[in-house]
């Protein structure tokens, strides 16, 4: 099953990951920002759960207690230096790169599930079978948060213009939505 993950989804995920402040290595953040700004590279990047025996891969660990929170693997060569990975990625923008993010310290999000692709090296269960319910829950939570924001803005607008009836109607809707979240 081949998935289509857009470069926009990858950019959103990378931005989300950086904003979580769970990456300790400045060079890793710098490399991720470079990937985010390069459309051609984004098209060859694949976020997977397992990298297996891939030709080129990156493993990034969030808030790692390991010796290294970054590893770049090309064929049989391994390095923990993000700068070496950057130079190889900059010079070779044709071969795919598989990125595994170890996020033990981070609650996976809709952004993560949106970019995660099935891998030939992962378990026989597809990403959808494994994370489908969690992704659905994350998406529903995001939709509720968006609806709350819109209603909140409309309540403020009703207050600003003095529309008492609209304020009461929206306040009831607000309470209903907030009650569903708990």
């Amino acid at each position: 099953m081949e998935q289509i993950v857009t470069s926009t989804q990858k950019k959103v995920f990378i931005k989300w990951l950086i904003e979580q402040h769970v990456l300790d290595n400045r060079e890793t953040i710098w490399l991720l920002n470079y990937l985010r700004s390069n459309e051609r590279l984004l098209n060859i990047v694949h976020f997977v759960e397992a990298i297996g025996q891939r030709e080129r891969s990156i493993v990034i660990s969030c808030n790692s207690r390991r010796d290294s929170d970054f590893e770049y693997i090309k064929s049989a060569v391994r390095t923990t230096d993000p700068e070496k990975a950057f130079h190889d990625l900059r010079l070779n923008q044709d071969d795919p790169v598989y990125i595994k993010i170890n996020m033990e310290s981070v609650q996976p999000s809709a952004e993560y599930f949106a970019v995660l692709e099935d891998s030939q090296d992962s378990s026989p269960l597809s990403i959808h079978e494994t994370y489908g319910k969690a992704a659905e829950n994350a998406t529903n939570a995001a939709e509720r948060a968006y609806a709350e924001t819109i209603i909140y803005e409309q309540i403020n607008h009703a207050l600003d213009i003095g529309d008492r009836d609209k304020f009461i109607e929206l306040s009831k809707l607000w309470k209903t939505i907030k009650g569903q979240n708990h």
Side-chain angles (χ1 to χ4, degrees), residues 150-175:
I150 296 300
I151 293 169
Y152 186 76
E153 289 172 358
Q154 290 175 346
I155 288 171
N156 283 337
H157 180 69
L159 284 170
D160 290 343
I161 63 171
D163 188 342
R164 185 175 192 273
D165 294 334
K166 190 71 168 173
F167 170 76
I168 292 171
E169 174 190 336
L170 291 168
S171 294
K172 287 178 183 176
L173 182 57
W174 173 264
K175 287 178 185 177

Side-chain angles (χ1 to χ4, degrees), residues 81-143:
D81 185 357
E83 286 189 48
K84 289 182 181 172
F86 164 76
H87 289 296
D88 185 61
L89 291 170
R90 188 175 55 83
L91 295 173
N92 179 358
Q93 297 187 9
D94 296 321
D95 297 330
V97 180
Y98 297 88
I99 301 177
K100 177 181 191 295
I101 308 287
N102 292 322
M103 298 196 321
E104 297 93 18
S105 64
V106 181
Q107 182 71 14
S109 70
E111 292 85 358
Y112 174 66
F113 295 125
V115 298
L116 194 59
E117 298 180 39
D118 284 328
S119 166
Q120 67 189 29
D121 304 310
S122 61
S123 70
L125 293 175
S126 72
I127 296 301
H128 178 72
E129 291 169 330
T130 306
Y131 296 112
K133 190 64 176 169
E136 188 177 318
N137 291 342
T139 301
N140 289 340
E143 288 173 354

Side-chain angles (χ1 to χ4, degrees), residues 54-84:
R54 301 294 186 159
E55 182 66 24
R56 290 196 314 169
S57 58
I58 296 173
V59 178
I60 299 172
S61 298
C62 301
N63 287 340
S64 178
R65 299 197 193 297
R66 301 178 179 120
D67 291 337
S68 174
D69 58 358
F70 179 90
E71 184 176 33
Y72 180 69
I73 304 141
K74 183 175 179 183
S75 300
V77 178
R78 295 174 181 262
T79 181
T80 58
D81 185 357
E83 286 189 48
K84 289 182 181 172

Side-chain angles (χ1 to χ4, degrees), residues 21-39:
H21 303 287
V22 293
L23 300 172
D24 298 329
N25 186 321
R26 284 183 306 190
E27 288 82 11
T28 301
I29 295 169
W30 177 70
L31 178 65
L32 288 171
N33 276 318
Y34 174 70
L35 286 175
R36 199 171 126 215
S37 68
N38 187 317
E39 282 294 320

